[in-house]
Amino acid sequence: MRMQDKFFNKRNLFIIGCVLLVVVGITGFTIKKGTKEPSMRITHGNLVYEVNAALYTRISSSFPDSKPVMDDYQASERITLDERVISDFELKEWQESKLDGDLPAREWLVKGVYEDNGLKLAKNLKLTAYDDFPGLIAVEVEYVNLSEKDMFIEEWRNGNYNIVPQGDQPPFWAFQGSSSSRRSDWIKPLEPGYYQKNYMGMNDSDYGGGIPVTSVWRPDLNVAVGHLSLVPELVNLPTELLEDSKVSIGISKEFDERTLFKAGDTLSTLETFVSIARGDYYENLANYSELMQAKGIEIVEPEEAAFEPIWCAWGYGREFTMEEVINTLPKVKDLGIDWAVLDDGFQVAEGDWQPAADRFPDGEDAVENLVETIHDHGLKAKIWWTPLAADPHSKSLKNVPGMKIRLENGAPQFITWWDAYYLSPTKEKTIEHTKDLLDLFLNKWKFDGLKMDGQHMNAVAPDHSLEKPEESVKGLPDFFHMIYEEAREINPDAVVENCPCGTVMSYYNMATTNQTVSSDPLSSWQIRHKGKTYKALVPNTAYYGDHVELSDNGNDFASSFGIGAVLGTKFTVPSSTANEEAAEFILTEDKETIWKKWFSLYNEKMLSKEEYLGNLYDIGYDKPEAHAVKKQDRLYFAFYADSWEGEIELRGLENNTEYLILDYFNQVDYEKVIASDPYIDVAFKDFILLEATPVKK
């Protein structure tokens, strides 16, 4: 069916024309008469979305005391053909319908035409306001080449908005969901001259993918854009702070090759969205994930064992010995830790996951004996693994040829970090090879969980050895779904950790991991804002703060604890071997006292299982930085600053309820508070952790 027929011949549609129509319920629709530019207006929740006669749009907010979002109508959608940017279309007609079913909505179909110098192009704009997602409008655009000649398409762009500042410093904070080798902060203030492309494909040899959402906010308002495809897409979400301090956002698809747009052909963009909310990025990100799940993304349930604290043998490095690992287990148990992780270095090579002879001279029997020893100490065992990586000299590539991804020039895609090749995730040979490894790790060796590790897991390049190269990109989440299903088939309680080192973990891969992780954080700030991000997208996730040794000063348990993250460490104990790397992480007598206090407190409170209240505090503008967790009728607050002396606000308290306030780390009582006056004066360095307990009447 031709696109113009598909968009405008649906059941239950009616022509609105130029008649005033008010839609009762989630949306409003008006026609401005007596003006040169009649427009349509949709009010959905607190988002006001307008379209004018040129098919330009304007967004604004109906929040009380809201300030302008944009100066005027803007070309929020555009297409570039033969080096000509086309954004002005003459509005011809529009239609409205009501969509029933599992995802009820109101839908508007708007038609415009561009005609100039022999070029004629139709633009069909579909706007969807989902009933259960107020404040969000989904947008789809289809362009039809009505000309008599072929053209080349270079780019399309949706959600193209310049948001005005309000004089604050910084003018905006932003969440950006792309990944690169810089491993930069996911959340940052925007400074003059800032630009980031936010490509969702491969940005460096090992890095790519992420969360296809950009969210920018001022103290009064948050605006987010992104796409709603159920598979990864190779698009950009660029963010730029302009000279006038406006922030520019959008979603674009670039066509690197000369892509022919033939006469009569139709080009469809992705379903993108714009949403608006109060506060920082948390609510918009949570709404995005809920809508994606309503559309078909299935997120696995949490696993009880994934919330248990973790010790990892990585403190001993790749040159660990069996003696070192086994000698550490009694101390692991004594500290109240439940997991022991065998990390990198046990294997012959990436791709060849048999035990290395210098680590395990007795071969697989030694590995099985190690797991049995871990279990004998009352601990669970997890094994490190880099799926989709195989060294060039590995036997797996020789014995199972054809697993590699091939780039357009025929070369294999290289993983520089591991000096390895990428395996193609959709090829049956790769899948069967992976299933054999899962049987080895979980069935034969009896490990209780997997630590899948490596930034390369987050995305892959198009595999040109496939008939449709982008199948490798879009099929990557199915590969991890297969791993999860196979692992849980072997061991119904298996913990499946996905640790894409330093990257913004692909939203699509999150769906089938039951343990997320801060993944080689560069600071405690990253531990905290990564945690807030994961908890917005997967509220019940077991979020692991990674080894505390990666935090500020190597001992900032508070950053993980206060946001409800699982605690972990890679401490070492004195050994008979001369392991220089392990010396840095030796658990001294003083450290042991601190470590034991934190793990004991963690096992007592178990805040990682509780409800994170991410919309109470703005992580950018509120000072000091604050987080809150609710456990039954108690609230747990965490405040962070290099140094703070003054008033703090305890938000989220129930009305007409008095609360006892306790600094539960230092065991210091504060005055009682109530919701109408939720302020106390405190002084702290680095952090303060407070427990608010309602007073029983």
Side-chain angles (χ1 to χ4, degrees), residues 365-641:
D365 288 343
V367 178
E368 293 177 38
N369 289 337
L370 174 61
V371 174
E372 186 176 345
T373 301
I374 292 172
H375 288 160
D376 287 344
H377 281 80
L379 304 170
K380 299 180 181 69
K382 190 187 289 185
I383 189 168
W384 178 91
W385 176 38
T386 62
L388 293 180
D391 292 348
H393 62 272
S394 61
K395 292 181 180 178
S396 62
L397 290 181
K398 181 179 179 180
N399 296 337
V400 190
M403 290 194 293
K404 289 181 287 189
I405 286 178
R406 293 288 180 181
L407 303 178
E408 190 171 10
N409 63 4
Q413 186 186 7
F414 199 62
I415 306 171
T416 57
W417 184 263
W418 307 117
D419 294 327
Y421 292 138
Y422 272 89
L423 305 184
S424 189
T426 62
K427 288 180 176 176
E428 193 59 35
K429 290 181 178 180
T430 305
I431 293 169
E432 290 305 315
H433 170 70
T434 304
K435 288 180 178 180
D436 289 342
L437 292 174
L438 291 167
D439 184 70
L440 176 68
F441 297 151
L442 301 177
N443 190 27
K444 185 175 182 182
W445 290 354
K446 304 300 182 185
F447 280 94
D448 306 291
L450 304 168
K451 177 186 177 180
M452 300 188 297
D453 191 49
Q455 64 277 358
H456 68 286
M457 298 191 301
N458 217 45
V460 299
D463 182 2
H464 287 266
S465 66
L466 300 174
E467 183 176 347
K468 296 180 179 179
E470 284 196 17
E471 282 184 2
S472 60
V473 176
K474 299 177 187 294
L476 180 62
D478 289 338
F479 176 78
F480 288 106
H481 179 76
M482 176 275 296
I483 289 177
Y484 180 84
E485 290 294 322
E486 286 289 316
R488 301 280 287 188
E489 180 69 23
I490 296 169
N491 179 352
D493 302 316
V495 170
V496 181
E497 174 190 349
N498 191 313
C499 182
C501 307
T503 68
V504 183
M505 184 178 176
S506 167
Y507 174 72
Y508 305 94
N509 294 350
M510 288 181 201
T512 47
T513 175
N514 55 22
Q515 188 173 74
T516 54
V517 59
S518 66
S519 186
D520 291 338
L522 301 181
S523 66
S524 292
W525 162 245
Q526 287 196 349
I527 293 171
R528 297 193 297 270
H529 76 248
K530 288 180 179 185
K532 183 163 189 170
T533 301
Y534 283 123
K535 288 172 181 286
L537 295 165
V538 189
N540 296 322
T541 185
Y543 170 65
Y544 169 32
D546 215 330
H547 315 137
V548 71
E549 291 81 4
L550 294 168
S551 67
D552 294 352
N553 302 313
N555 63 2
D556 182 16
F557 284 103
S559 279
S560 288
F561 198 102
I563 63 167
V566 178
L567 297 192
T569 178
K570 58 178 180 179
F571 73 83
T572 60
V573 298
S575 171
S576 58
T577 61
N579 189 328
E580 294 181 5
E581 186 172 352
E584 181 182 353
F585 307 113
I586 287 179
L587 191 69
T588 64
E589 198 170 306
D590 289 342
K591 284 174 67 174
E592 182 175 350
T593 300
I594 298 169
W595 263 235
K596 194 161 191 174
K597 179 176 181 178
W598 279 111
F599 282 105
S600 175
L601 196 61
Y602 175 83
N603 287 323
E604 174 192 338
K605 303 292 186 185
M606 288 302 294
L607 298 186
S608 59
K609 292 183 180 180
E610 305 303 332
E611 181 185 3
Y612 176 78
L613 304 178
N615 58 359
L616 289 184
Y617 295 97
D618 183 329
I619 198 172
Y621 289 105
D622 282 338
K623 302 300 178 188
E625 178 192 337
H627 302 263
V629 175
K630 184 176 183 180
K631 181 177 182 180
Q632 298 173 345
D633 60 350
R634 298 186 182 192
L635 290 169
Y636 291 84
F637 298 92
F639 294 88
Y640 302 96

Side-chain angles (χ1 to χ4, degrees), residues 664-683:
Y664 61 89
F665 183 75
N666 296 302
Q667 290 297 304
V668 175
D669 288 310
Y670 286 86
E671 65 267 27
K672 296 177 183 178
V673 300
I674 56 175
S676 59
D677 186 22
Y679 302 95
I680 61 173
D681 288 317
V682 298

Side-chain angles (χ1 to χ4, degrees), residues 14-258:
F14 57 90
I15 303 296
I16 295 176
C18 293
V19 179
L20 174 64
L21 173 67
V22 177
V23 178
V24 179
I26 63 168
T27 58
F29 198 124
T30 64
I31 307 302
K32 294 183 179 179
K33 293 183 177 181
T35 67
K36 293 181 180 179
E37 295 187 351
S39 66
M40 51 181 288
R41 175 187 176 97
I42 303 170
T43 301
H44 187 39
N46 287 296
L47 173 61
V48 180
Y49 190 100
E50 298 173 279
V51 185
N52 72 3
L55 270 65
Y56 280 29
T57 66
R58 178 172 63 190
I59 58 172
S60 56
S61 164
S62 61
F63 285 117
D65 303 320
S66 61
K67 299 175 182 178
V69 178
M70 298 161 55
D71 286 336
D72 202 350
Y73 288 96
Q74 295 175 8
S76 54
E77 301 89 37
R78 68 189 190 208
I79 187 170
T80 305
L81 299 171
D82 288 349
E83 300 183 347
R84 187 191 309 187
V85 178
I86 301 169
S87 58
D88 291 26
F89 291 81
E90 182 183 354
L91 177 62
K92 294 296 184 181
E93 60 179 308
W94 56 86
Q95 303 171 338
E96 184 202 13
S97 65
K98 184 177 185 300
L99 305 180
D100 297 318
D102 294 336
L103 197 54
R106 307 287 303 183
E107 182 178 273
W108 291 266
L109 305 177
V110 186
K111 182 176 181 179
V113 174
Y114 172 90
E115 192 166 6
D116 181 56
N117 293 327
L119 172 60
K120 188 174 183 181
L121 190 69
K123 174 182 175 180
N124 295 309
L125 175 66
K126 181 167 76 173
L127 305 172
T128 306
Y130 296 103
D131 292 8
D132 296 333
F133 297 91
L136 183 149
I137 299 287
V139 179
E140 290 181 80
V141 185
E142 291 188 345
Y143 298 98
V144 185
N145 183 359
L146 300 179
S147 309
E148 295 181 354
K149 66 174 184 176
D150 301 340
M151 292 172 284
F152 287 102
I153 177 173
E154 291 148 29
E155 180 189 33
W156 60 255
R157 183 159 179 161
N158 288 0
N160 186 53
Y161 296 109
N162 292 344
I163 312 300
V164 298
Q166 295 298 320
D168 306 287
Q169 291 299 322
F172 293 96
W173 279 75
F175 165 82
Q176 297 162 98
S178 65
S179 300
S180 76
S181 58
R182 295 188 302 275
R183 299 191 176 188
S184 58
D185 294 341
W186 304 359
I187 300 169
K188 62 184 72 174
L190 301 186
E191 304 295 340
Y194 180 85
Y195 173 79
Q196 190 163 299
K197 186 175 182 178
N198 295 316
Y199 179 51
M200 289 290 111
M202 299 301 296
N203 292 298
D204 296 287
S205 62
D206 303 10
Y207 293 82
I211 302 163
V213 177
T214 294
S215 183
V216 297
W217 69 96
R218 315 175 307 210
D220 66 316
L221 197 68
N222 183 298
V223 178
V225 296
H227 75 72
L228 298 172
S229 174
L230 298 182
V231 295
E233 302 285 353
L234 301 180
V235 296
N236 309 312
L237 289 94
T239 306
E240 182 176 9
L241 192 65
L242 306 174
E243 290 184 0
D244 57 4
S245 291
K246 294 177 184 174
V247 63
S248 173
I249 55 177
I251 309 101
S252 69
K253 170 72 173 180
E254 295 178 347
F255 294 79
D256 296 330
E257 299 178 357
R258 290 173 63 82

